[in-house]
Amino acid sequence: MAPDGNMTNGFKVVGTRPKRPDGVDKVTGRAKFGADAAAPGMLHASIVRSPHAHAKILKIDTSKAEALKGVKAVVTRADFAEGLTGENWNILENVMAGDTALYDGHAVAAVAATTALAARDAAKLIEVEYEPLPHVTDVDKAMAADAPVIRAGAADKSVPEGMHPNVVRYHESGHGDVDKGFAEADLVIEESFKTEATHQGYIEPHACLAQLGPDGKGEVWCCTQGHFNVQKVCAALVGTETSQLRVTPSEIGGGFGGKTVVFIEPVALALSRKANRPVKLVMSRSEVFRATGPTASTSMDIKIGMTREGKITAAQGVFRLQGGAFPGAPMEFTAMCAFAPYALENVHQIGYDVMSNRPKQAAYRAPGSPMAAFAVESVIDELCNKLDLDPIEVRLKNASKEGTKASYGPKFERIGLVETLEAARAHPHLTAPLAEGQGRGISCGFWFNHGGETAVSLALSEDGTVAISVGTPDIGGSRASMGQMAAEELGIPYENIRTTVADTATLGYNEISHGSRVTYASGLATIKAARDAVKKLCARAAAKWGIDEEAVVWEDGCAKPSGPNAGEFEPLPLAKIARSMGRTGGPIVGHYEATPEGAGVSFATHIVDAEVDKETGQTKVVRYTVVQDAGKAIHPTYVEGQFQGGAAQGIGWALNEEYIYGEDGRLQNSGFLDYRIPVASDLPMIDTVIVEVPNPGHPYGVRGVGETSICPPLAAIANAVSNAAGVRLTELPMSPPRILKALNDQANG
Amino acid sequence: MSMIHVTTTVNGDEVEFLCDPRETLLDVLRDRLALTGAKEGCGTGDCGACSVTVDDRLVCSCLMLGAEAEGKSIGTIEGMANGEELHPLQEKFIEYAALQCGVCTPGVLVATEALLKKNPDPTETEVRYWLAGNLCRCTGYDKIIRAVLDTAADLRKAS
């Protein structure tokens, strides 16, 4: 094959299921996560947090804490950089409150002491005087005229005049004429929906070990989805130079978007600088719930028109997202993803980013998209029911294809939505009989996927083995898939390659592991780095043989003359060239640094059977099938794992998980007992079908797979539950009280 | 506050430590004995990431005090493999990709080993209910349940 060409079949390693390189470490307890690091002389830290949803901070008295035995440093906002602007100011404001506590759990001070117990005791001795202010936590109430203002002047220029100051960003997109489209419809359904905030729920709380000396040089060890971002943000917040701070990522115990954000590392660095000792800072689970994550909560209005034959004539959506006390709720993604599965002549969508007294929302697996799918796909299901149309056929009839003008603007390249719908139609699940009390639901879902800044290096060792350094933390088995792609290119066994997530001093800037970008972008960079190494290997062979570099090809792990005209030479295997590389020109290292922009969008179709107990309102998911386009599955087992994990998180979001705030604006369920994520006995096996419609933007056709899997579940389950209960559910989660209320409301007319 | 002197057995080795009366067994394992395989996911007994055995009984080590380990025999994930030979559950978890991030894995494995000692032939439902105290946020449990059931079948064949 051409060294820069694409390849979508004839793979030897790609598509197989080798063992993951971090497997033994992870089953023996040896794998080092964020909280597993220690350093000589290490202190332990604890953070003091606001018990108020909104309060002026009048005074912080740290004297009693400082007097406690073992306490070595106390920091408040005064110990961080001054004069920050833009996003850095927002991050600092969240990391450590300024003059106002903006949500229950907002950090206001921190202390470091010789033991974790002493740090906790000292935190309790820090006296903070507050003046409580009016608060608001609901998205619709936060937009109302009488809502307290979270922060005046936070809105950007996109917001139309006359909106409440809590509306800080506005989005509008679409094409065609929706009024004309609705007039052409045989049936128009308009419905409003709400979803509560959910937490990413990673099992590993945020943790770091940090050291910052008086010379401005520092080290951070932490669990993060993006250590280069941690480096950049920390340097700004503590006022040191980026390159003087080296950040090493630990193993990461789940992130799902929630570990793309910096919370504790700057605090540990500030404490370390003051004490001139390493500082370890580990969040409790309650802190994780109160002060990190969650998703935005939403309020949405959807209007869709359809002909008797099932053609959608127009679609319109208004999406209000509450993102906590800072701008940034992903309402434009919600708006842009909402109608993306469908080829529409007339479509219009509006998004509002709304501030409230809640923690700053963080990305959660396809941020913004699952809620949109819940609302839109519920209305489509209702239209199918009322018009007596088959839900798969209607979706096929309207499905986006290659060349469709997407609801959010661009023209789609090659995409696989139709293929997922056809695979769903052919799946035995779709025609299996349902038992009494059960309902079936289907839904499509969409996510953009992402490229982003990426750098990879690939170094050969003398014995012919290969070390790959990547800068994207491994959140889904990517070290295995990088090894597979390099093995494919180099023609050597997968086992001869070791992939490491390198620290910030080793590689150029790598964007965070987010946007389902790693297998696509770091994968592409690994392939290109391997091709760079192959070029260098061929040059060494050419020099040895005394022929042109162009006359050498790489096949089956060997340099070979490219034809009879190149001369007759014994093929030179990689190991042989590597053995002599010190004498033939020095180390051989392949590189690739770029911002790849060919991430292929992806679609999924899910099928769910749910059983609703009308007496208790309890729902059980009894059967679940995920069908998703992966482009090309590098390691099919891990692709299945992503599909299953996304579905399981979606089940939790649909049926049970929610942030519950009291009248006082405090979070009432900040633990796994009251914020119950799905446990093993809640779930059935989750069937998966991997569809492969290659992405033209990746050498092997890879599309990201991690995020799309959480887009359809909320809607698919809502459709199943609504069909089982005989009443349309329009609020998430569909917990027993909400289902009983819907049934009662229906019974009472 | 004065420290408490504790003599106990961990993974077959006799160990001694001093601990604060408020320290949990998990704190002691991780911070005093450098056995960081057991994880703190919640500190309230809800997630099972800190699962260990105490005299062969499965417990959340975050819910037990370090001082209570006196005279007991503690088993942790670090004691599961026999030298370089992995336990069949550990092998199967790798083979089936029954782990993603891996932070719940030590607790899941310790809990599963305790299950198979009690019940070598569990049904899928029994495995799901036994592991209901071990939260996993990555996998949706599918591959974990399959790995447990297939290991149990292998072990029954071998015995």
Side-chain angles (χ1 to χ4, degrees), chain A residues 453-719:
Chain A
E453 287 162 87
T454 309
V456 165
S457 88
L458 183 151
L460 272 60
S461 297
E462 241 187 19
D463 60 358
T465 60
V466 169
I468 304 174
S469 298
V470 298
T472 39
D474 180 350
I475 57 173
S478 57
R479 278 166 292 189
S481 53
M482 298 305 132
Q484 287 178 274
M485 287 185 262
E488 194 71 54
E489 289 293 323
L490 297 171
I492 62 172
Y494 164 82
E495 291 73 20
N496 288 7
I497 298 170
R498 179 163 183 179
T499 306
T500 302
V501 183
D503 65 34
T504 53
T506 307
L507 293 167
Y509 188 87
N510 273 267
E511 209 175 293
I512 297 166
S513 294
H514 65 165
S516 296
R517 79 180 206 88
V518 173
T519 313
Y520 165 70
S522 286
L524 179 144
T526 297
I527 292 167
K528 302 267 185 170
R531 290 177 184 178
D532 185 37
V534 161
K535 214 168 156 222
K536 290 166 180 167
L537 285 159
C538 288
R540 301 287 168 98
K544 184 181 164 95
W545 295 331
I547 63 174
D548 282 349
E549 287 175 26
E550 289 70 37
V552 180
V553 291
W554 191 260
E555 272 175 19
D556 301 326
C558 297
K560 293 176 184 171
S562 70
N565 296 340
E568 289 274 326
F569 301 100
E570 272 291 296
L572 268 175
L574 182 144
K576 211 162 176 186
I577 301 172
R579 199 180 308 147
S580 62
M581 64 188 170
R583 299 189 303 278
T584 61
I588 297 175
V589 184
H591 288 279
Y592 189 75
E593 292 89 17
T595 304
E597 282 170 1
V601 304
S602 77
F603 293 89
T605 301
H606 289 196
I607 315 169
V608 188
D609 295 349
E611 190 170 293
V612 178
D613 183 330
K614 289 190 180 179
E615 240 175 280
T616 62
Q618 182 76 29
T619 298
K620 177 114 185 144
V621 172
V622 290
R623 187 165 181 184
Y624 204 109
T625 303
V626 177
V627 186
Q628 187 178 319
D629 176 19
K632 176 70 200 172
I634 302 297
H635 193 304
T637 310
Y638 298 159
V639 171
E640 291 162 11
Q642 290 298 315
F643 289 6
Q644 292 164 336
Q649 287 186 319
I651 292 169
W653 195 339
L655 294 179
N656 195 58
E657 296 177 35
E658 64 177 315
Y659 265 44
I660 300 170
Y661 280 91
E663 286 297 315
D664 57 2
R666 297 178 69 177
L667 183 62
Q668 295 187 332
N669 58 336
S670 65
F672 277 137
L673 188 63
D674 300 316
Y675 183 100
R676 190 170 179 279
I677 68 173
V679 304
S681 53
D682 293 334
L683 301 182
M685 292 296 187
I686 297 166
D687 279 352
T688 56
V689 179
I690 301 174
V691 170
E692 293 185 323
V693 177
N695 164 27
H698 182 277
Y700 299 165
V702 165
R703 298 176 195 272
V705 297
E707 291 173 289
T708 304
S709 56
I710 204 172
C711 300
L714 314 188
I717 297 161
N719 291 340

Side-chain angles (χ1 to χ4, degrees), chain A residues 19-20 22-24 26-29 31 33 35-36 44 117-118 120-121 199-205 251-254 256 280 285 364-365 475 620 637-638 640-642 644-646 648-649 657 671-673 675 677-681 683-687, chain B residues 20 22-23 27 30-31 36-44 46-47 49 77-78 80-81 86 89-91 93-97 99-106 109 124-125 127-129 131-143 145-146 149:
Chain A
K19 290 180 181 174
R20 62 191 303 151
D22 49 331
V24 172
K26 285 183 173 169
V27 299
T28 54
F33 290 85
D36 297 338
H44 298 262
L117 288 170
R120 253 183 280 162
D121 290 342
H199 196 276
Q200 295 79 353
Y202 32 83
I203 307 301
E204 179 201 32
E251 289 293 342
I252 172 169
F256 316 110
K280 182 167 171 173
R285 176 54 54 183
Y364 178 21
R365 212 167 191 156
I475 57 173
K620 177 114 185 144
T637 310
Y638 298 159
E640 291 162 11
Q642 290 298 315
Q644 292 164 336
Q649 287 186 319
E657 296 177 35
F672 277 137
L673 188 63
Y675 183 100
I677 68 173
V679 304
S681 53
L683 301 182
M685 292 296 187
I686 297 166
D687 279 352
Chain B
D20 185 289
R22 293 181 293 169
E23 274 176 78
D27 293 334
R30 292 179 53 82
D31 300 338
T36 55
K39 309 297 178 192
E40 180 163 319
C42 65
T44 49
D46 299 315
C47 80
I77 186 65
E78 286 89 348
M80 195 166 178
L86 294 181
L89 277 168
Q90 293 173 309
E91 291 279 8
F93 267 57
I94 297 175
E95 188 191 333
Y96 281 34
L99 57 118
Q100 285 181 30
C101 81
V103 81
C104 73
T105 310
L109 284 168
E124 181 190 330
T125 302
V127 176
R128 286 189 180 276
Y129 276 87
L131 289 180
N134 291 84
L135 301 180
C136 168
R137 191 60 157 171
C138 295
T139 63
Y141 305 103
D142 183 300
K143 293 182 192 303
I145 304 300
R146 289 177 202 276
L149 289 171

